[in-house]
């Protein structure tokens, strides 16, 4: 999988550092000291691609809109067609990290298309809906797909969304935890409606990517799963 | 339909009092069109037939005569079969369980139904009611089609009472349209073709065929989930937008100079390898279209693009990157579309269609530059002004007693028509007016006896349809207009359109 590859970013072609030493050589977040002219007038130190994936209707767009604009898209169900793109610059320990977020459509017919973009992603937020068992059952298939198409060092975070809905919950938090442990990915429950853990999900990703970039060889590796476990909040209703 | 059964005067040849007009120089005509010229909808139908069995081609017109209401008219073998099965169908329906959708008054009273099912009879889509509950009736449809198909024949339409049932079989799919409205069977067939094209637009024809080759009884709803809104929206559009009937697109009225600036903005900032089409649309109207030199856009494809934009709320919230198949352009593959709105009120939508799946950021960059230039030249303001002004009223044409018209320039595949005004303001009246246009269009394009001019006196209005090499004109007058004055009025109207053609049509095709 270590082929030389170009990633297009901000209209300029940037060679990814495929020849770099160290185990994180391939697929590094690209350093862009130059301020970007378009999309955002903000300056940033590094940028990375985050993809939101998961079955249709689990709340990917809602999660993103909550993170980006701090609002909740209630009311009618707006399903994404293809891939939507949004930018947000966040700050991690004084460094500006630009998150380029790809919000994908969950429907089956888009699988083969969105799959093509996995390999460019530095982080994948994989969502299921705690009130929909089916969306949870499909997580294994999603993970298999990620395994096949994404970069080896991609950051994967499993998110059980809609955890504010107490009555219709079909999955316990433990179910998600067990699955995440099995696959060695980070996990938490989120709510786009209340905002619980939403910020954390994206910030943990940004932090991980920043750490990968700036870590000295003798420093311990940043573990996003541990970090998330430490930071995440668990609402009362979630423990059953 | 009953109000149309009035005395009609038709004129199949052009008589002296209207022959003077400029056939060789129709208003809105262009030497250099950007859309594929569309002649009349008949062409589409023959194309449909070409795609299916040869048995159909031998009898291109099985449409029954409109004047006989209800009873099947002709003595063709397949219509007889249709008659038999229609009876059979009527017997079958009542035996179904009471709670079934099919028996609800609401469902039955819908004026138009569209169904999609697989060759194996699996329900895929129904315009009204849940397709799950319609399994039985879809089974009946499938049985009818395969019964007739067994005799090496094909079922094309049945007429029962005031309902028309039209069938279209393509690529493992069976599409059925049922209408109790003014649509002719050909028009319903055209609508089914649009619906079929919508399926292709979502899946591509190759994927569709591959799926059913692998598993004949595949439940296609899995692949189409989330696309229901495109079908719903498209079918609603066909009930209100004459462009789909005419095979033509309406342009937002704009000064030629503004249009030029807009097109040039796209040319300058989106001249990128592998970009095939760049277009700006608003509210089902075309503002600008730039294309690669050797490729043209078909109006049918453009309607699907408009439908995609119209039916999706999600494009309003972020820049989007979505696969899109244009069946007339290439039914076997996807183009990749960069879709974004240029204004905050989400009226003006820019689409950049490319074959390069990796060019999202490049195109995103193009979009920003295009927007910048449009703002600089006040073009976005001009667009929103034109949108707010609501095209033009019939008074502007200055013709007495002319109430409304549709004018299609064939060479550019574009049409123009004034805003709907009184008495066509209520939904019922709007529908009735559109019904009149459908009737006029149908009569003129009847394949057995195509007409050039049709003058029709109805109880509430008088209709005049006129088709030449260069244009199609459908005009609606008050009820007391005489034939001579109507023809004079139409000539005057054509001169008015000619004067306004720069504003109403896109006459220059801009290429990268």
């Amino acid at each position: 999988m270590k082929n030389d590859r170009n990633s297009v970013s901000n209209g300029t072609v940037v060679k990814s550092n495929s020849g770099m030493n160290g185990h994180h050589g391939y697929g590094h977040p690209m350093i862009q000291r130059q301020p970007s002219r378009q999309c955002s007038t903000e300056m940033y130190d590094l940028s990375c691609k985050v993809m939101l994936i998961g079955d249709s209707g689990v709340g990917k767009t809602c999660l993103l809109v909550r993170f980006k604009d701090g609002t909740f898209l209630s009311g009618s169900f707006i399903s994404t067609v293809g891939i939507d793109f949004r930018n947000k610059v966040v700050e991690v320990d004084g460094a500006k990290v630009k998150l380029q977020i790809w919000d994908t459509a969950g429907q089956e017919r888009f699988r083969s298309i969105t799959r093509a973009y996995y390999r460019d992603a530095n982080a994948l937020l994989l969502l299921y809906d705690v009130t929909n068992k089916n969306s949870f059952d499909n997580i294994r298939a999603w993970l298999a797909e990620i395994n096949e198409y994404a970069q080896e060092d991609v950051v994967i975070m499993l998110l059980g969304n809609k955890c504010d809905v107490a009555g219709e919950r079909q999955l316990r938090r433990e179910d998600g935890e067990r699955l995440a442990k099995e696959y060695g990915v980070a996990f938490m429950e989120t709510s786009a409606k209340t905002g619980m853990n939403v910020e954390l999900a994206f910030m943990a990703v940004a932090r991980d990517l920043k750490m990968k970039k700036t870590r000295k060889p003798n420093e311990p590796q940043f573990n996003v799963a541990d970090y998330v476990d430490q930071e995440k909040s668990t609402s009362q209703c979630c423990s059953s | 339909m009953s109000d149309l059964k009035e005395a009609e005067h038709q004129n199949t040849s052009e008589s002296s009092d209207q022959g003077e007009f400029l056939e060789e120089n129709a208003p809105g005509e262009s030497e250099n069109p950007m859309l594929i010229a569309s002649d009349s909808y008949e062409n589409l139908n023959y194309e449909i037939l070409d795609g299916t069995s040869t048995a159909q081609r031998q009898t291109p017109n099985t449409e029954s005569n409109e004047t006989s209401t209800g009873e099947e008219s002709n003595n063709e073998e397949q219509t007889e079969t249709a008659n038999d099965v229609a009876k059979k169908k009527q017997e079958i329906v009542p035996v179904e369980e009471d709670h079934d959708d099919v028996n609800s008054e609401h469902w039955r009273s819908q004026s138009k139904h569209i169904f999609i099912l697989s060759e194996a009879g699996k329900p895929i889509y129904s315009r009204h009611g849940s397709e799950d509950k319609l399994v039985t009736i879809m089974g009946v449809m499938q049985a009818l089609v395969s019964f007739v198909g067994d005799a090496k024949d094909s079922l094309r339409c049945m007429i029962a009472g005031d309902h028309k049932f039209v069938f279209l079989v393509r690529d493992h799919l069976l599409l059925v349209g049922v209408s109790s409205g003014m649509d002719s069977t050909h028009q319903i067939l055209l609508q089914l073709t649009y619906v079929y094209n919508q399926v292709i637009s979502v899946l591509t024809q190759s994927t569709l065929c591959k799926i059913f080759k692998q598993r004949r009884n595949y439940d296609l709803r899995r692949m189409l989930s989330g696309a229901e809104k495109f079908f719903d929206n498209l079918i609603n559009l066909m009930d209100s937008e004459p462009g789909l009937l005419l095979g033509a697109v309406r342009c937002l009225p704009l000064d030629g100079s503004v249009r030029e600036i807009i097109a040039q903005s796209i040319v300058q900032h989106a001249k990128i390898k592998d970009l095939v089409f760049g277009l700006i649309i608003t509210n089902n109207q075309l503002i600008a279209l730039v294309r690669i030199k050797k490729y043209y856009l078909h109006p049918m494809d453009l309607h699907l693009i408009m439908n995609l934009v119209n039916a999706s709320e999600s494009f309003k919230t972020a820049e989007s990157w979505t696969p899109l198949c244009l069946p007339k352009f290439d039914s076997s593959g996807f183009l990749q579309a960069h879709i974004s709105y240029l204004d905050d009120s989400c009226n003006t939508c820019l689409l950049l269609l490319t074959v390069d799946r990796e060019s999202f950021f490049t195109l995103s960059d193009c979009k920003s530059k295009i927007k910048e230039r449009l703002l600089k030249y006040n073009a976005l303001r001009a667009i929103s002004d034109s949108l707010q002004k609501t095209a033009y009223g019939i008074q502007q044409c200055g013709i007495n007693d002319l109430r409304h018209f549709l004018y299609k320039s064939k060479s550019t595949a574009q049409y123009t028509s004034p805003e709907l005004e009184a008495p066509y303001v209520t939904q019922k009246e709007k529908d009735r007016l559109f019904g009149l246009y459908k009737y006029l269009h149908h009569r003129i394009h009847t394949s057995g006896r195509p007409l050039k001019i049709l003058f029709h006196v109805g109880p509430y209005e008088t209709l005049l349809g006129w088709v030449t090499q260069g244009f199609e004109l459908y005009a609606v007058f008050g009820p007391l207009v005489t034939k001579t004055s109507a023809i004079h009025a139409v000539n005057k109207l054509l001169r008015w359109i000619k004067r306004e053609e720069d504003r109403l049509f896109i006459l220059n095709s801009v290429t990268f």
Side-chain angles (χ1 to χ4, degrees), chain A residues 102-117:
Chain A
W102 295 83
D103 176 19
T104 65
Q107 283 94 12
E108 190 168 323
R109 66 194 158 94
F110 290 112
R111 289 298 145 81
S112 59
I113 291 119
T114 49
R115 196 182 277 153
Y117 299 97

Side-chain angles (χ1 to χ4, degrees), chain B residues 47-112:
Chain B
E47 204 172 297
I48 298 163
L49 300 182
D50 286 345
T52 50
S53 77
T54 45
Q56 290 173 315
R57 239 177 292 164
Q58 289 158 4
T59 55
N61 180 25
T62 54
E63 214 178 319
S64 61
N65 197 335
E66 282 231 353
T67 48
S68 69
T69 54
E71 291 306 310
E72 285 76 15
S73 60
N74 292 330
N75 44 7
E76 280 165 34
E77 194 186 341
Q78 62 195 65
T79 349
E80 275 173 25
T81 337
N83 196 2
D84 289 347
V85 284
K87 279 185 203 145
K88 207 187 291 173
K89 180 173 196 135
Q90 280 170 336
E91 286 159 20
I92 288 169
V93 174
V95 260
E96 276 166 353
E97 291 102 297
D98 291 338
H99 61 266
D100 207 312
D101 262 349
V102 179
N103 282 332
S104 82
E105 195 44 49
H106 178 71
W107 190 83
R108 285 167 163 249
S109 63
Q110 301 291 346
S111 70
K112 190 185 290 165

Side-chain angles (χ1 to χ4, degrees), chain B residues 110-353:
Chain B
Q110 301 291 346
S111 70
K112 190 185 290 165
H113 287 274
I114 302 277
F115 307 99
I116 312 176
L117 46 151
S118 75
E119 214 171 26
K122 283 213 176 189
I124 296 170
Y125 170 82
S126 166
R127 183 189 191 188
H128 302 291
S130 124
E131 68 280 348
D132 268 338
K133 289 194 178 161
L134 302 173
V135 173
T136 324
I137 198 168
M138 293 212 191
V140 174
M141 295 175 198
Q142 197 269 340
L144 292 175
V145 168
S146 54
F147 178 75
V148 177
D150 259 2
K152 297 275 176 283
D153 210 335
S154 56
L155 180 59
R156 305 206 21 223
C157 77
M158 331 187 298
I159 294 173
D162 50 8
H163 281 79
K164 300 186 188 80
F165 299 74
V166 179
F167 300 83
L168 172 66
V169 182
R170 293 197 72 176
D171 296 326
H172 310 280
L173 293 183
L174 168 58
L175 298 102
V176 184
V178 182
S179 172
S180 58
M182 292 295 288
D183 316 72
S184 72
T185 50
H186 266 86
Q187 287 163 355
I188 300 170
L189 192 58
L190 175 69
Q191 291 163 12
L192 294 178
T193 311
Y194 262 106
V195 173
Y196 166 78
N197 281 356
Q198 180 64 63
V199 176
I200 297 302
S201 176
V202 167
L203 293 177
T204 74
Q205 191 185 25
S206 18
T207 310
L208 182 69
C209 291
K210 203 173 82 192
I211 289 172
F212 282 115
K213 215 171 235 172
Q214 277 166 4
R215 279 175 58 191
R216 261 178 54 88
N217 63 348
Y218 185 84
D219 184 351
L220 198 66
R221 283 179 302 173
R222 268 180 67 182
M223 285 304 266
L224 291 176
S225 75
E228 300 86 351
K229 57 175 182 259
F230 299 134
F231 297 117
D232 293 340
N233 200 71
L234 179 69
I235 297 167
N236 290 338
L237 199 62
M238 290 191 289
D239 280 348
S240 60
E241 164 62 53
L244 288 88
L245 173 66
L246 298 175
V249 175
R250 193 150 64 113
C251 299
L252 182 74
L254 279 177
D255 280 347
S257 58
V258 178
R259 222 187 277 286
E260 183 65 20
I261 287 170
I262 297 171
Q264 283 307 320
S265 302
I266 302 178
V267 174
Q268 280 185 21
H269 294 300
K271 200 180 169 98
I272 286 181
K273 189 174 162 283
D274 292 334
L275 190 69
V276 190
F277 298 112
L279 60 158
I280 300 181
I281 57 174
T282 179
N283 196 14
N284 288 324
Q285 298 171 74
L286 183 65
I287 295 176
L289 168 63
V290 183
R291 57 181 179 86
I292 280 192
K293 218 165 242 137
K294 57 183 175 194
Y295 295 120
Y296 294 85
L297 197 55
H298 193 284
M300 255 184 147
D301 284 345
L302 188 48
H303 285 134
L304 291 181
I305 292 175
M306 288 175 171
N307 185 51
L308 169 76
V309 172
N310 244 336
S312 326
E313 279 299 303
S314 79
F315 299 139
K316 295 185 176 167
T317 57
E319 274 177 53
S320 288
W321 186 233
T322 189
L324 167 68
C325 171
L326 299 178
K328 290 281 183 181
F329 178 71
D330 175 11
S331 63
S332 66
F334 283 119
L335 287 174
Q336 201 66 36
H338 180 279
I339 305 174
S340 58
Y341 280 92
L342 297 171
D343 53 349
D344 294 333
S345 46
C346 291
N347 283 319
T348 312
C349 185
L350 171 73
L351 293 108
L352 300 169
L353 309 183

Side-chain angles (χ1 to χ4, degrees), chain A residues 77-125:
Chain A
F77 173 62
I78 299 177
S79 74
T80 305
V81 180
I83 302 176
D84 281 358
F85 175 80
R86 289 174 180 85
N87 268 327
K88 181 155 174 156
V89 177
V90 295
E91 206 171 304
V92 181
D93 301 336
K96 292 217 151 101
V97 181
K98 178 163 110 174
L99 299 175
Q100 301 183 328
I101 307 163
W102 295 83
D103 176 19
T104 65
Q107 283 94 12
E108 190 168 323
R109 66 194 158 94
F110 290 112
R111 289 298 145 81
S112 59
I113 291 119
T114 49
R115 196 182 277 153
Y117 299 97
Y118 282 11
R119 62 183 168 84
D120 285 335
N122 302 106
L124 297 168
L125 299 185

Side-chain angles (χ1 to χ4, degrees), chain A residues 30 40 54 94 99 117 129-130 149 155 178 202 204 231 238 240:
Chain A
M30 287 154 295
S40 145
L99 299 175
Y117 299 97
D129 171 358
V130 299
Y149 295 99
V155 178
R178 198 175 310 123
F202 288 93
E231 301 282 321
C238 296
S240 49

